[in-house]
Amino acid sequence: MVSVAEYETITADQPRRGTPVQGDWANYLSMSRSDWPVRHIMNRQVLTCSPDLSVGQAAEQMVARRCSSIVVVDAASVPLGIWTEHDALALDLPSADAGRRSIADVMTSPVLTVDADLPLEELVLRFRDHGTRHFVVTEQGGLAGVISQTDVIRSQGVHAYLTVRDVGSLVEKAPLTVQGEDSLAAVMRTLRDRGGDAAVVLRQGQPYGIITERDILRLVASRREVGTTCQDVCSHPVLSVTSTTPLIQAHDLMEQHKIRHLVVLGPDQVLLSLLSFRDILAGIELDYTRYLQAALDRQHQVIRLGQERQRQIIEATLEGFAEVDREARIVRVNAALCHMLGYQAYDLIGQTPACFCTASSVEQFRRQFSRIDQQDHRSYDLMAVRRDGTHIPLRVNATTLRDETGQVTGAFAFFTDQSEEQRQRNELQALLEQVSSSNADLESFAYVVSHDLQQPLRMVTSYLGLLTRRYSANVPPEGQEFIGYAVDGAKRMQSMIMDLLEYSRVNRRGSEFQPCDSNDCLALAVREVAVALQACGGTVDIAPLPLVQADPLQIQRLFYCLLDNAIIYRDLQRPLRIRISAGRLPSGPWEFRVQDNGIGIEPQHNERVFQIFQRLHPRLEPQWGEAGANGRGNGNGIGLALSKRIVDRHHGEIHLESVAGEGTVVVFTLPAAEEGAA
């Protein structure tokens, strides 16, 4: 008999398995391969035979291949049965014909099969439920392999489990023992009757060896005399461990010697038990079951905590919440919805949301709920009725609920009170209507005033002219100067009225937008200021300009105003240079830049210049004003204001980039022409 200490000395220089993973059994299970399919560890090199093969021949093949089973198949390789080492215990060895019997007479049939895709976790449970040691593995109905309990143990990476357990934690019962002088037939009957797969052979009261099903199989294969005693065929010497030996050492000892049993001795070298691979599998299964139960308990606890957390969140939210079943009956509401509608929870549960909808909104709710199977998320508006009869607009965000099979079980929705938003929208709409009305009144007023003021100004101008022609000889020079001032003022007033009239017509008399070539609009504007440009020696540099969606006449007027403004406020110390270009913005519209080298303005006045009749410089002497494009001298401060009004009508933006004494860039945007416009 060899002890584990002696074994460790013998194998000290031999390679061991990988370093065991440290940690408890739960950690091992979290790293295990229990979710692998059977195909990953099954033995694909299946030992098979035909039904007419003899038992002795089958045993010879099993011993030669070190297999614990042989699968009996027909001509099409369909499994008919299986014969194992354990089945050999049922042979009548005293009979001379035992080894010559057909394997079909002694095989286990029908054969127990499992699919190759079965998880190992499920396989362990099937080993327990069926009380078998082997399963034939099938794939798409055909034979794919064989798997045994030993295969499961060797494949599952059990080092962590084996490291934290000792032999004594598994073995609890005394071993099956036989005497060395007992006949082999008697031992076979004992093993068969007791349901064991091995027995300890004693000589003079001490463990001498172990006799196993594999030993019986070898005997059948060798066809030796059946009168042999068990001490002649048992495995000897026996390998032993103590009850305090770590399972990892016992496991390695079995692996090293290709055996499946070890004798277990107590501290006083007294026989305690017999440790088998089956015991290890049973221990793993037990601990795994405990782990699964603990994991299930933890999962239930997490679910309970999650449900409670969900309930707290739903109750704490300020939005109303309701859950309905497949028939749209309310099964759950939160306090916010009850407060919103003025009901108690028991008033709503069992009803449908239609119970708090206005007559016009009931159909909307039913139409939306009918889409519960086709659309998982829905948002729509409802007008609800509170318990006191007042109405409340609600925004509904509904989501379909499904079970694990995808079947619809109901829905839940959050309800948002839109009363404040509705009030703000109504106020904004009223304000917009008021502003629109005021703008219309102002435009009408500006037009009427500018039109009606023309007549009295024309009368003043006419009579002043008549007075000059008839009585100029009788009027002293000072009086003629006064009359000149009056005539000039009347003409400037008439010019301002004309400007105001044009300003008011931008929105009232503008044409519909259409694709137009801004190059053509600019060319017409340049033609209008050509005389003034020539008089001051100015030049205009024009880059290619795009098609825009606009009112062509107003775009021409826009360019004219900006050119005229550049001419009026040019720097007399250098020739006027104007450059006009355009580029496309990422957001879509075109950005135009009209740049000059004039006198510029201070940055603090960049917004003021766009106000009507605003001037930043005193009126100049006639020689400067005569250079103006329209012969109106210094202008009336209407050009940039009119430009802004035109750009605003086209939903664009306009601003200045200017440095006093260096020049000004007017930047404005216009919408791009529609796709396909020529």
Side-chain angles (χ1 to χ4, degrees), residues 328-360:
R329 293 187 298 264
I330 298 174
V331 297
R332 183 182 178 188
V333 294
N334 70 347
L337 183 62
C338 294
H339 177 74
M340 197 179 293
L341 299 175
Y343 288 99
Q344 298 295 326
Y346 55 76
D347 295 323
L348 299 175
I349 292 177
Q351 303 291 328
T352 71
C355 72
F356 55 76
C357 294
T358 62
S360 59

Side-chain angles (χ1 to χ4, degrees), residues 564-584:
D564 186 47
N565 206 63
I567 293 171
I568 292 174
Y569 296 105
R570 70 186 186 279
D571 189 334
L572 297 179
Q573 304 303 318
R574 56 177 177 255
L576 175 62
R577 297 289 181 266
I578 303 174
R579 174 171 174 75
I580 302 176
S581 60
R584 191 72 176 268

Side-chain angles (χ1 to χ4, degrees), residues 364-589:
Q364 163 76 331
F365 165 73
R366 290 174 177 168
R367 183 169 59 254
Q368 292 289 341
F369 191 78
S370 67
R371 298 159 57 193
I372 189 172
D373 293 293
Q374 295 80 29
Q375 189 175 2
D376 282 353
H377 303 283
R378 302 164 300 284
S379 295
Y380 54 95
D381 294 325
L382 284 180
M383 184 61 70
V385 183
R386 295 188 180 94
R387 189 166 192 166
D388 60 8
T390 58
H391 289 185
I392 174 174
L394 297 177
R395 181 65 177 175
V396 184
N397 292 292
T399 299
T400 300
L401 289 172
R402 299 179 183 272
D403 61 19
E404 61 276 3
T405 66
Q407 296 297 314
V408 174
T409 59
F412 70 88
F414 286 95
F415 299 83
T416 304
D417 183 356
Q418 292 191 301
S419 299
E420 182 61 22
E421 289 80 357
Q422 185 66 49
R423 184 188 64 79
Q424 292 178 357
R425 284 196 296 268
N426 293 340
E427 290 181 353
L428 179 59
Q429 183 62 33
L431 182 59
L432 290 175
E433 292 175 356
Q434 182 180 353
V435 170
S436 178
S437 176
S438 298
N439 287 340
D441 291 342
L442 287 174
E443 290 179 3
S444 177
F445 173 76
Y447 176 76
V448 170
V449 169
S450 59
H451 184 273
D452 292 347
L453 285 178
Q454 297 286 337
Q455 180 60 32
L457 280 175
R458 282 194 295 268
M459 182 180 295
V460 170
T461 304
S462 297
Y463 278 105
L464 286 174
L466 182 61
L467 181 63
T468 302
R469 288 193 300 273
R470 289 188 179 183
Y471 303 106
S472 60
N474 299 324
V475 177
E478 185 178 6
Q480 292 181 10
E481 183 180 0
F482 293 160
I483 293 174
Y485 287 150
V487 172
D488 181 63
K491 289 180 178 180
R492 285 192 290 107
M493 175 62 75
Q494 190 173 25
S495 174
M496 294 178 68
I497 291 174
M498 293 300 294
D499 288 340
L500 182 60
L501 182 60
E502 183 179 9
Y503 185 83
S504 68
R505 286 175 174 173
V506 170
N507 289 335
R508 297 177 66 254
R509 295 194 178 184
S511 301
E512 291 186 1
F513 294 170
Q514 58 183 289
C516 65
D517 191 340
S518 52
N519 292 287
D520 296 339
C521 298
L522 178 57
L524 293 174
V526 171
R527 186 180 303 171
E528 289 188 67
V529 299
V531 174
L533 279 173
Q534 185 177 6
C536 69
T539 59
V540 181
D541 180 16
I542 304 174
L545 301 181
L547 287 175
V548 293
Q549 192 76 10
D551 180 342
L553 291 178
Q554 290 190 350
I555 300 306
Q556 176 187 341
R557 188 61 177 168
L558 170 62
F559 282 127
Y560 170 82
C561 290
L562 298 179
L563 291 171
D564 186 47
N565 206 63
I567 293 171
I568 292 174
Y569 296 105
R570 70 186 186 279
D571 189 334
L572 297 179
Q573 304 303 318
R574 56 177 177 255
L576 175 62
R577 297 289 181 266
I578 303 174
R579 174 171 174 75
I580 302 176
S581 60
R584 191 72 176 268
L585 295 177
S587 56

